[in-house]
Amino acid sequence: MAHHDDQDLLPTPGQRVGTFLKRKDVSQTFVLGIFFTAVFVVLGLWVYPHWMPNVMSKEMQGNEDIMIWFTVISAPIAGVVLAIAMESFINMHRGDTPPPEDGPGIKTHGPVVVIWSAVSVLFTIVAIVWGITEMNTWSSDALAGSNNALVVDVTGSQWNWSFNYPAQGITSHELNLPINQPVEFRVISADVNHSFWPVQLGVKVDANRLSTTIARTTPDKLGVFDVKCAELCGLNHAYMETAGHVESVADFNNWVSQAKATGGTQQ
Amino acid sequence: MTTLSHKPASARPIPNPERSLITRLNMGTGTVVGILFAVITYYLLRHHFGSPWRVNHGMDMTNTHFVNVTILCTMFAWSFGFLVGIGALIGPFRWLIGKDLTAEEQLYLAGDGQGIKRYFKYCTDHKVVGIQYLVGVMVMLGVGGTMAMMIRTNLATPGSHFIAPIIYNSLVGLHGITMIIAMIIVSTGPFGNYIMPIMIGAADMAFPRLNALSWWVLFTAIPVLCSAWFLGGIPTGWTAYAPLSDQAGPGMNAFLATIIIFALSTAVAGMNITTTVVAMRAKGMKWNRVPIFVVGATISVALAIPAFPTFMVAMIQTGLDRTISTGFYDANVGGSGWLYANLFWIMGHPEVYVILIPGVAALMEIAPVFVRKPLFSYGAAIAGFAGIAGLSVLVWAHHMYMSGWMPNLNGPFMITTEFISVPTGLLFLVLVGTLWRGKPWMKMPMLSVYAFIWDFLIGGITGIYLSDVPADNYLHGSMFVTAHFHYTLMGAALTGAIGALAFWFPKMTGRMLNDRGSYISFWLIQIGFNVLFLGMFMAGAAGQPRRVADYAQAFAHANLISTIGAYSVGLGMIVLLWAIIHSWRSGVIAPMNPWGSKTLEWTVPYPVPLVNFDEPPVVTSDPYNYGRSAK
């Protein structure tokens, strides 16, 4: 097409967008894009609540929400990428010789690059703001609860966990927590690095030799949770796990007094 | 298009080996001298420092760590002895007496006309080094993959029935480090050495002897790493965190020595590739005409140059802790494990992009050829690579969000990490922009582009959760992380390298890669891969820690799914290996330019002449001027 013909019949931007949208490949890509976006939205909404274990704290709910909503937010971007890829895949040329003619010689397209970059910057900012807001919520919750927090000294050693309740004066290999009371885990290691992971409570922190690290949460559902080690710590790393319990305040106090009666140390 | 200026081809001097020492050295003499050095060192040190079999033999040593001195020195002696024995140091020795290799000797080292023997020698021809890397990488991937199959077999059902935890832990560590080393060199080794100098119109690399050195230094690390099996294994995973690494048995020394040797190799290779691209491009190949694979490979090795020395330092300090109890990482004497973690990840995060970038760049080289369209937005591709490389040195502590090191820095590190999505997004834009309105010629290299888009998309999206501090509270140290980085390293970077192999196979072997074999392997690998790591995402999201030999019944389904997928990948890899070997030996003879590509490497015949081009090429346009109405 000669260049001056374009000049004579130059369409308005509105007409150009209209023609663009009427093209068959564009409408096909559009449909594919909706389809892939929907797939990712459904995956995000369905998969994580089904895969992830019971939610037993606000922190755990926060984690699950991030995984769900980050998937949903990124769904349109994934949709666009996969739609364009699929549209070209459908139009493939097969055979042992190269395609008879070249495709359109599009070297770049300024507005597309700018819009694409702007969208990804925007998406990144949303993710950052979400993350920082969540971190701030955790910190302010922890600060608000710090006065009446139950302190548990957690010691990781090859290959078990032990829990010391300094205020109650008991030591145990069992982790029992009262419901709805903020808890502060002060974590340390007796030997190599471990990582203290009360799974359903949604927090985690490494256990280091001679340096105390802190994790805070407030269990808000009764039930059993898993305590695992999330840092390779040698031979029996896989078996360095135990069960924890979130109990009613009465049950917890009961357990504390029983433990004290047996000398303050319970296996 | 490229035009060739007409100059008379210079007459080559005839090689004149003269039965001098240099003609008698090869891999065999290297091995003999290496073993000799190792044995002498071992017997010299054994009585002072003990041996792994007779600890502290006859000496009053209260510190059992001294045995590590014997082991480490023996390993380094092997490496040095091998290099002496293969003749790598003849040049430097000559410099000591004020001489250098003669022109005849240099030509002899280039190996022209020496047939298959030159692949077992200290050969300075970049094409020979490329093939050495290719075969070496395939062996490493095979070994690492076999270990992966053993890991998945053990995890198929709960109960760890197949292997004992102590062996399992070693397998995890050895699989990890073998694959990491293989993946770092998988694209830049074979294609960066064989293809890249031809792509830029150079006669060879800038420093041919260093090029051979980089391969043979790396080669000496392989037996060292293998020796870990006989010394009690690597029980720390590939991250080798202290103080677990201080506690580990003698096998840990193999890890240290391997990394130190490997870091030397990458430094040498990185300098060589960077210098070659900066200084030896053909006339007319301005920076905006450099093929994107060359840009990617250069950015990748340039990123490795500052990254790997920190790993080397981290390992030297681990070695000092283990031998003379310096206590860099030992909190009991005032050291800190966090120091190790920082040094490790300052290398560790750039390193994943060192792996990723050349793979993506190879696919960007492939896409325009098969879609018959220009590469969409060459500038965005370079901005993407440069942006990733630049940001990647500022994100290391996202591996340490949960370490307790500096909780106050989690926010800043989260910001830098999340921003990597922006340059990464540009890479997607370049690829889908190239596909847009195209009718791709669906051969094996092009299929890899599609597989990459899917795999890297999943790897990227899951990376967004992991970079978020609160979500990492849950995901850190879980199988979810393992699945995520396999999507990026294997799904993206290895897929890219396999695509690159299919693409450049005709130029490297003179034959076409078998279509049927490569298609069957492609689908077995890709479907298997997605099943495998879908299962692993499930297990991780459900709360299964990584690097565990055994797991609770609750994760049984997810793990079984994973293992089924893994077997499919394994089968696919065997088919691919068969296709490669079969095609290399007896495939269809390839024409000079089977894909109709416009880059320079397709203007030379197979076998590629020693100096690549009879006449130095002159470049007059960018290599992607495909397309209707392209100017």
Side-chain angles (χ1 to χ4, degrees), chain B residues 234-542:
Chain B
I234 299 167
T236 57
W238 91 276
T239 48
Y241 265 23
L244 189 61
S245 63
D246 289 340
Q247 198 189 57
M252 199 65 219
N253 300 308
F255 184 91
L256 310 187
T258 302
I259 297 304
I260 292 169
I261 296 169
F262 178 63
L264 289 173
S265 166
T266 51
V268 168
M271 292 297 179
N272 200 0
I273 291 177
T274 313
T275 312
T276 307
V277 173
V278 170
M280 295 183 67
R281 281 167 291 131
K283 196 177 173 195
M285 186 175 278
K286 296 185 268 185
W287 279 114
N288 59 0
R289 291 177 184 165
V290 179
I292 197 69
F293 174 70
V294 176
V295 176
T298 311
I299 289 178
S300 157
V301 296
L303 185 57
I305 291 171
F308 284 103
T310 66
F311 200 9
M312 191 170 171
V313 167
M315 284 301 140
I316 290 171
Q317 291 184 167
T318 306
L320 291 172
D321 276 9
R322 287 175 55 83
T323 49
I324 55 172
S325 304
T326 42
F328 285 109
Y329 309 136
D330 184 355
N332 294 318
V333 294
S336 170
W338 288 323
L339 172 62
Y340 176 81
N342 273 289
L343 286 172
F344 180 82
W345 290 116
I346 286 173
M347 175 286 303
H349 206 82
E351 171 263 340
V352 302
Y353 293 108
V354 169
I355 293 174
L356 180 77
I357 290 174
V360 187
L363 295 173
M364 287 182 179
E365 199 63 56
I366 289 166
V369 179
F370 290 82
V371 186
R372 312 307 297 174
K373 283 182 65 204
L375 183 69
F376 182 80
S377 201
Y378 179 84
I382 291 179
F385 290 146
I388 286 177
L391 278 172
S392 75
V393 299
L394 299 172
V395 300
W396 78 90
H398 67 217
H399 297 270
M400 300 165 65
Y401 284 157
M402 300 305 130
S403 71
W405 167 56
M406 278 274 173
N408 291 341
L409 285 182
N410 285 355
F413 275 108
M414 179 170 80
I415 292 172
T416 53
T417 306
E418 296 272 18
F419 263 106
I420 283 199
S421 344
V422 178
T424 308
L426 289 177
L427 303 186
F428 277 109
L429 175 68
V430 171
L431 282 175
V432 297
T434 308
L435 294 179
W436 174 242
R437 292 176 64 191
K439 292 185 170 36
W441 183 20
M442 205 54 70
K443 303 295 267 186
M444 178 66 180
M446 195 62 214
L447 276 173
S448 302
V449 174
Y450 286 96
F452 167 86
I453 288 174
W454 170 259
D455 294 342
F456 195 47
L457 195 66
I458 305 293
I461 291 175
T462 49
I464 301 169
Y465 324 141
L466 286 164
S467 60
D468 185 276
V469 178
D472 198 47
N473 264 280
Y474 185 73
L475 298 172
H476 174 83
S478 75
M479 278 294 196
F480 200 91
V481 178
T482 314
H484 156 76
F485 73 70
H486 278 88
Y487 259 95
T488 56
L489 296 187
M490 186 179 172
L494 184 60
T495 300
I498 291 175
L501 178 65
F503 181 59
W504 282 307
F505 197 81
K507 193 52 62 190
M508 295 174 79
T509 67
R511 294 172 188 274
M512 304 299 290
L513 184 61
N514 182 292
D515 267 346
R516 180 176 299 184
S518 53
Y519 294 155
I520 293 172
S521 76
F522 175 85
W523 291 110
L524 281 172
I525 291 171
Q526 285 301 329
I527 293 171
F529 170 84
N530 279 281
V531 171
L532 159 56
F533 291 105
L534 174 84
M536 209 175 274
F537 275 133
M538 283 171 74

Side-chain angles (χ1 to χ4, degrees), chain A residues 20 23 25-26 29 36 40 43-44 48 51-53 59-60 62-63 66-68 70-71 74-75 77-82 84-99 101-110 112-114 116-117 120-125 127-135 138 158-159 191-193 195 197 199-200 202-215 226 228-239 241, chain B residues 159-160 165-166 169 172 235-237 239 241-244 247 330-332 337-338 370-378 380 402-405 407 410-411 414-416 418-422 425-426 428-429 432-433 435-443 447 450 453-454 457-458 461-462 464-465 468-478 480 515 523 534 537-538 540-552 555 594-596 598 622 624-631:
Chain A
F20 178 74
R23 263 177 28 207
D25 58 336
V26 175
T29 310
F36 284 117
F40 271 77
L43 275 179
Y48 290 120
W51 284 358
M52 290 173 76
E59 284 75 15
M60 184 64 180
N63 297 337
I66 286 168
M67 293 173 71
I68 294 168
F70 278 21
T71 315
S74 45
I77 297 177
V80 170
V81 169
L82 293 175
I84 297 175
M86 185 52 86
E87 168 69 17
S88 73
F89 190 83
I90 295 168
N91 289 323
M92 74 171 87
H93 165 83
R94 304 173 70 142
D96 287 332
T97 50
E101 65 165 358
D102 281 8
I106 311 163
K107 283 194 178 253
T108 187
H109 192 285
V112 167
V113 177
V114 170
W116 184 279
S117 310
S120 44
V121 169
L122 194 69
F123 173 78
T124 304
I125 289 172
I128 289 170
V129 168
W130 189 310
I132 287 182
T133 312
E134 186 75 16
M135 282 166 76
W138 291 25
Q158 289 172 318
W159 289 271
D191 36 54
V192 302
N193 288 5
S195 193
W197 186 15
V199 178
Q200 287 83 345
V203 293
K204 180 180 289 146
V205 73
D206 280 7
N208 299 277
R209 180 85 182 113
L210 297 182
S211 303
T212 305
T213 51
I214 292 177
D226 303 308
K228 297 188 184 201
C229 176
E231 185 67 61
L232 179 60
C233 58
L235 184 61
N236 287 324
H237 165 57
Y239 302 103
E241 55 185 7
Chain B
S160 189
I166 189 163
N169 286 354
V172 167
T236 57
T239 48
Y241 265 23
L244 189 61
Q247 198 189 57
D330 184 355
N332 294 318
W338 288 323
F370 290 82
V371 186
R372 312 307 297 174
K373 283 182 65 204
L375 183 69
F376 182 80
S377 201
Y378 179 84
M402 300 305 130
S403 71
W405 167 56
N410 285 355
M414 179 170 80
I415 292 172
T416 53
E418 296 272 18
F419 263 106
I420 283 199
S421 344
V422 178
L426 289 177
F428 277 109
L429 175 68
V432 297
L435 294 179
W436 174 242
R437 292 176 64 191
K439 292 185 170 36
W441 183 20
M442 205 54 70
K443 303 295 267 186
L447 276 173
Y450 286 96
I453 288 174
W454 170 259
L457 195 66
I458 305 293
I461 291 175
T462 49
I464 301 169
Y465 324 141
D468 185 276
V469 178
D472 198 47
N473 264 280
Y474 185 73
L475 298 172
H476 174 83
S478 75
F480 200 91
D515 267 346
W523 291 110
L534 174 84
F537 275 133
M538 283 171 74
Q544 183 185 339
R546 62 192 284 205
R547 294 167 164 166
V548 289
D550 196 359
Y551 51 84
F555 311 121
W595 316 121
K598 296 186 178 180
D622 81 69
Y624 305 114
N625 54 355
Y626 304 95
R628 297 192 298 270
S629 72
K631 291 178 189 80

Side-chain angles (χ1 to χ4, degrees), chain B residues 111-132:
Chain B
D112 200 22
Q114 293 167 21
I116 196 121
K117 278 186 183 170
R118 63 199 162 136
Y119 295 103
F120 302 97
K121 284 182 172 173
Y122 192 79
C123 181
T124 55
D125 184 355
H126 70 95
K127 298 174 285 288
V128 174
V129 176
I131 296 293
Q132 287 168 334

Side-chain angles (χ1 to χ4, degrees), chain B residues 24-344:
Chain B
R24 295 166 196 268
L25 300 178
N26 56 35
M27 217 171 123
T29 55
T31 309
V32 169
V33 177
I35 291 174
L36 197 67
F37 272 47
V39 169
I40 292 170
T41 310
Y42 173 75
Y43 277 99
L44 284 178
L45 296 180
R46 185 179 71 145
H47 292 285
H48 281 284
F49 299 110
S51 86
W53 295 279
R54 291 199 291 178
V55 178
N56 299 335
H57 170 86
M59 298 290 289
D60 181 25
M61 297 270 187
T62 47
N63 194 331
T64 53
H65 279 183
F66 278 112
V67 65
N68 295 329
V69 176
T70 314
I71 300 170
L72 278 169
C73 290
T74 305
M75 286 166 177
F76 290 126
W78 143 260
S79 182
F80 185 73
F82 182 92
L83 294 175
V84 169
I86 201 170
L89 303 177
I90 288 182
F93 287 152
R94 293 273 177 87
W95 298 339
L96 290 177
I97 53 169
K99 289 182 184 170
D100 198 354
L101 298 177
T102 62
E104 287 78 24
E105 284 169 330
Q106 298 207 30
L107 196 62
Y108 179 81
L109 282 186
D112 200 22
Q114 293 167 21
I116 196 121
K117 278 186 183 170
R118 63 199 162 136
Y119 295 103
F120 302 97
K121 284 182 172 173
Y122 192 79
C123 181
T124 55
D125 184 355
H126 70 95
K127 298 174 285 288
V128 174
V129 176
I131 296 293
Q132 287 168 334
Y133 266 108
L134 178 63
V135 175
V137 160
M138 279 164 45
V139 170
M140 279 189 245
L141 290 176
V143 173
T146 308
M147 291 192 270
M149 291 302 130
M150 291 165 76
I151 291 170
R152 280 318 319 170
T153 304
N154 191 52
L155 293 179
T157 52
S160 189
H161 299 300
F162 182 60
I163 28 186
I166 189 163
I167 297 176
Y168 179 88
N169 286 354
S170 275
L171 273 175
V172 167
L174 279 165
H175 163 76
I177 193 62
T178 309
M179 287 307 205
I180 290 285
I181 291 178
M183 287 308 296
I184 286 168
I185 58 177
V186 73
S187 290
T188 41
F191 315 117
N193 278 300
Y194 196 115
I195 299 293
M196 197 197 69
I198 316 179
M199 261 183 145
I200 61 170
D204 200 332
M205 297 287 260
F207 309 112
R209 283 190 244 167
L210 285 186
N211 202 20
L213 186 69
S214 80
W215 159 252
W216 287 113
V217 168
L218 174 66
F219 177 83
T220 64
I222 296 172
V224 172
L225 187 59
C226 293
S227 73
W229 275 118
F230 307 101
L231 294 166
I234 299 167
T236 57
W238 91 276
T239 48
Y241 265 23
L244 189 61
S245 63
D246 289 340
Q247 198 189 57
M252 199 65 219
N253 300 308
F255 184 91
L256 310 187
T258 302
I259 297 304
I260 292 169
I261 296 169
F262 178 63
L264 289 173
S265 166
T266 51
V268 168
M271 292 297 179
N272 200 0
I273 291 177
T274 313
T275 312
T276 307
V277 173
V278 170
M280 295 183 67
R281 281 167 291 131
K283 196 177 173 195
M285 186 175 278
K286 296 185 268 185
W287 279 114
N288 59 0
R289 291 177 184 165
V290 179
I292 197 69
F293 174 70
V294 176
V295 176
T298 311
I299 289 178
S300 157
V301 296
L303 185 57
I305 291 171
F308 284 103
T310 66
F311 200 9
M312 191 170 171
V313 167
M315 284 301 140
I316 290 171
Q317 291 184 167
T318 306
L320 291 172
D321 276 9
R322 287 175 55 83
T323 49
I324 55 172
S325 304
T326 42
F328 285 109
Y329 309 136
D330 184 355
N332 294 318
V333 294
S336 170
W338 288 323
L339 172 62
Y340 176 81
N342 273 289
L343 286 172
F344 180 82

